[in-house]
Amino acid sequence: STGNLTIQQDQNDGDIIFRSDDGSGGTAEYFRVDGGAEKNIASKALQFFDNIKVEFGDSSDLQIYHDGTNSRIYNNTGDFYIRNQAV
């Protein structure tokens, strides 16, 4: 009852796919670790409860969260850019 749980896929470019009931008698992919693309892919919405931060950067430099009343985006280092590249 001690130590880590490791889930490992050794197939070159293989994926780890998380599927569950889709609410209509079938199953659907909810999340995938894509070995070929080297990405984590959410196939369904992700819900974060109040006061749960999404953090980016090695030192949590960018944080996004909702505190139950207000939505917050904090940039703790460098400049913060928003760019619209629509043509």
Side-chain angles (χ1 to χ4, degrees):
S1 297
T2 62
N4 299 317
L5 169 65
T6 301
I7 300 172
Q8 183 170 323
Q9 163 59 288
D10 289 325
Q11 172 66 40
N12 286 343
D13 296 331
D15 298 345
I16 299 174
I17 301 169
F18 295 83
R19 295 180 182 267
S20 186
D21 177 68
D22 66 0
S24 64
T27 58
E29 178 180 302
Y30 281 73
F31 183 79
R32 174 171 22 117
V33 178
D34 190 318
E38 297 184 48
K39 293 182 179 182
N40 299 306
I41 298 172
S43 305
K44 301 287 184 182
L46 296 174
Q47 181 175 356
F48 297 86
F49 293 114
D50 291 345
N51 294 305
I52 302 300
K53 295 178 182 177
V54 178
E55 299 179 339
F56 301 90
D58 292 346
S59 299
S60 301
D61 302 311
L62 176 65
Q63 301 173 1
I64 302 172
Y65 72 102
H66 181 76
D67 67 11
T69 303
N70 301 298
S71 297
R72 302 175 185 275
I73 299 175
Y74 292 116
N75 179 47
N76 297 314
T77 186
D79 295 326
F80 184 77
Y81 297 99
I82 298 175
R83 178 180 293 173
N84 179 4
Q85 293 184 232
V87 182

